[in-house]
Amino acid sequence: MGELVLTTFDWVPEPPRGFVRDLRVRWAMEEAGLPYRVATTPFEPRDAGHLARQPFGQVPWLTDGDRVLFESGAILLHLGELSDVLLPSDPAGRGDAIQWVFAALNSVEAASLPWSLFRFADDDADTPGRRHLDAFLAQRLDHMERALGDRDWLAGRFSVADILMADVLRLVERFGGLDERPACRAYVARATVRPAFRKALADQLAGFAAADARRAGGA
Amino acid sequence: MGELVLTTFDWVPEPPRGFVRDLRVRWAMEEAGLPYRVATTPFEPRDAGHLARQPFGQVPWLTDGDRVLFESGAILLHLGELSDVLLPSDPAGRGDAIQWVFAALNSVEAASLPWSLFRFADDDADTPGRRHLDAFLAQRLDHMERALGDRDWLAGRFSVADILMADVLRLVERFGGLDERPACRAYVARATVRPAFRKALADQLAGFAAADARRAGGA
């Protein structure tokens, strides 16, 4: 393992604060007690150097020695190879956690993220496509509600799958989407009371607040 | 490695045929020359036995000996451990392919799948949320267009990342979303001309056609 450097934006507007995806990586490194430092890249403009490291112009990316990794899912699997606090090392437990990593990002977030775009826009137009999208998310959440009914964590014990799933579900909760799903709400509460999450969230918010202060000072 | 058994639906309606996700798994196993057989589960109803194997009531799932795996991304990473045709075995190449696996499923498909729901519904209502969703996909495709500009495959050579990304992009192409993106179109064409894809697609379509014939015979 080389030096771990997490790169996030130097500033973001208010609405996404607390939900920028560097949070997932901070949370994982805090859980595992991995030493790391945080670097920043300009929110605007996103130049060729940024795109060379993160081809979609997003954050985070993680540098581990001479390797650069993007995609929060890939970064968390990489960190899982560094610490079995994050990912079980036995093949069955590892495979179980990995399938739930993909479930968080592809079965749930592929429904919840677009749904959140409509909620961020305060768009409640009743159109056929929107009804499909709302039903798509509702169905995925119903299945999560049932799947979570009998377990604290997705893969037998806390793992990177829970970091991703809980972070995906807390954006749904922000917009009231878990109001009738007590098992999902309890799961988010169980995950976000963990000291590693609290520190990750506080650190992200403090970084953007410091950027506000610098901007105000420079104005 | 145990016996590989891929489970898909016994029948689906016309619109998703050719795009049911067992295709991704068939394609990977054909590329690697892994022996497998195909089993089916009822399209309706999706009972407790189905949900025990695939908690979202979807397909595919893969049985490898006594292990059952769901999520096409997790299944393809598992197959990648069985064959370096699918996933480079050197750490840098492997890490590169894995991050593009997540890019396909979380950076591109999280935009393209919901967009396709609106297209399947013939919904072109111009609302604020819809404009955000269309812009979200357009931005991700613009980045893919640039990223693909100088390469045949995502991770230096063909890998599971290309199976997933090409399958994600071909659904966009189906609805005209790649019309002004020649690099994405050429990439999809390059991937889907491969014999393993052609066989996977033909086998999926033949399976559903045989189900039609059985239903007609039994009616």
Side-chain angles (χ1 to χ4, degrees):
Chain A
M1 186 179 95
E3 186 194 22
L4 296 175
V5 183
L6 168 65
T7 299
T8 186
F9 287 126
D10 62 348
W11 176 88
V12 299
E14 198 64 41
R17 291 190 188 187
F19 291 87
V20 178
R21 289 172 179 222
D22 65 75
L23 182 81
R24 300 171 174 184
V25 184
R26 294 177 190 266
W27 184 359
M29 294 190 293
E30 294 291 341
E31 290 281 355
L34 292 165
Y36 65 99
R37 67 179 176 86
V38 177
T40 62
T41 188
F43 180 69
E44 297 169 318
R46 303 185 193 174
D47 63 14
H50 184 148
L51 294 174
R53 292 170 180 82
Q54 213 298 348
F56 298 94
Q58 301 300 306
V59 296
W61 66 80
L62 182 77
T63 306
D64 178 357
D66 58 1
R67 290 182 56 193
V68 185
L69 284 162
F70 69 98
E71 287 289 335
S72 58
I75 294 170
L76 263 58
L77 285 193
H78 177 73
L79 294 173
E81 313 263 321
L82 304 181
S83 167
D84 63 10
V85 169
L86 298 174
L87 194 64
S89 49
D90 66 293
R94 186 168 177 276
D96 194 23
I98 291 173
Q99 68 190 357
W100 280 107
V101 161
F102 282 99
L105 300 177
N106 200 238
S107 284
V108 182
E109 195 168 35
S112 63
L113 184 65
W115 174 86
S116 75
L117 295 180
F118 284 81
R119 303 302 296 256
F120 271 118
D122 269 328
D123 181 342
D124 55 7
D126 181 27
T127 76
R130 177 63 184 279
R131 285 194 292 276
H132 282 301
L133 179 59
D134 287 359
F136 178 39
L137 177 62
Q139 184 204 57
R140 296 296 160 96
L141 294 175
D142 287 347
H143 284 303
M144 280 308 301
E145 185 72 10
R146 194 200 64 257
L148 286 169
D150 58 354
R151 59 180 118 189
D152 280 350
W153 307 114
L154 294 170
R157 41 152 278 199
F158 184 84
S159 74
V160 286
D162 298 298
I163 291 177
L164 293 166
M165 187 69 85
D167 192 52
V168 166
L169 291 178
R170 56 190 279 274
L171 184 58
V172 179
E173 185 174 41
R174 172 178 175 166
F175 291 114
L178 301 185
D179 287 355
E180 289 165 37
R181 294 184 175 90
C184 289
R185 275 211 321 280
Y187 173 73
V188 171
R190 199 154 55 236
T192 57
V193 78
R194 294 174 72 91
F197 172 84
R198 305 312 308 173
K199 176 154 194 327
L201 178 63
D203 287 355
Q204 176 179 107
L205 295 175
F208 295 138
D212 285 337
R214 279 194 306 277
R215 286 184 167 210
Chain B
M1 185 179 95
E3 186 194 21
L4 296 175
V5 183
L6 168 65
T7 300
T8 185
F9 287 125
D10 61 349
W11 176 88
V12 299
E14 198 64 42
R17 291 189 189 189
F19 291 87
V20 178
R21 290 174 178 220
D22 66 74
L23 182 81
R24 299 171 174 184
V25 184
R26 294 177 190 267
W27 185 0
M29 294 189 294
E30 293 292 340
E31 290 282 356
L34 292 166
Y36 65 99
R37 67 179 176 85
V38 177
T40 61
T41 188
F43 180 68
E44 299 168 315
R46 305 188 190 171
D47 63 14
H50 184 149
L51 295 174
R53 291 170 180 82
Q54 213 298 349
F56 298 94
Q58 302 300 307
V59 296
W61 66 81
L62 182 77
T63 305
D64 178 356
D66 59 0
R67 290 182 56 192
V68 185
L69 285 162
F70 69 98
E71 287 290 336
S72 58
I75 293 170
L76 264 58
L77 285 193
H78 177 73
L79 295 174
E81 312 263 320
L82 304 180
S83 168
D84 63 10
V85 170
L86 298 174
L87 194 63
S89 50
D90 66 293
R94 187 169 177 275
D96 194 22
I98 291 174
Q99 67 190 356
W100 281 106
V101 161
F102 283 99
L105 300 178
N106 200 238
S107 284
V108 182
E109 195 168 35
S112 63
L113 183 64
W115 174 86
S116 75
L117 295 180
F118 283 81
R119 303 302 296 257
F120 271 117
D122 269 329
D123 181 343
D124 54 8
D126 181 27
T127 75
R130 177 62 184 278
R131 286 195 290 276
H132 282 301
L133 179 59
D134 288 358
F136 178 39
L137 177 62
Q139 185 204 56
R140 295 297 159 96
L141 294 175
D142 287 345
H143 284 303
M144 279 308 301
E145 185 72 10
R146 193 199 65 256
L148 286 169
D150 58 355
R151 60 180 117 188
D152 280 350
W153 306 115
L154 293 170
R157 41 152 276 201
F158 184 84
S159 75
V160 286
D162 298 297
I163 291 177
L164 293 166
M165 187 69 84
D167 192 51
V168 166
L169 290 177
R170 57 191 278 274
L171 184 58
V172 179
E173 185 173 41
R174 172 178 174 166
F175 291 113
L178 301 184
D179 287 355
E180 289 164 37
R181 294 183 174 92
C184 289
R185 276 211 320 281
Y187 172 73
V188 171
R190 198 153 56 235
T192 57
V193 78
R194 294 173 73 91
F197 172 83
R198 305 310 307 173
K199 176 154 192 332
L201 178 63
D203 286 355
Q204 175 178 109
L205 295 175
F208 295 138
D212 285 337
R214 277 195 306 276
R215 287 186 166 210

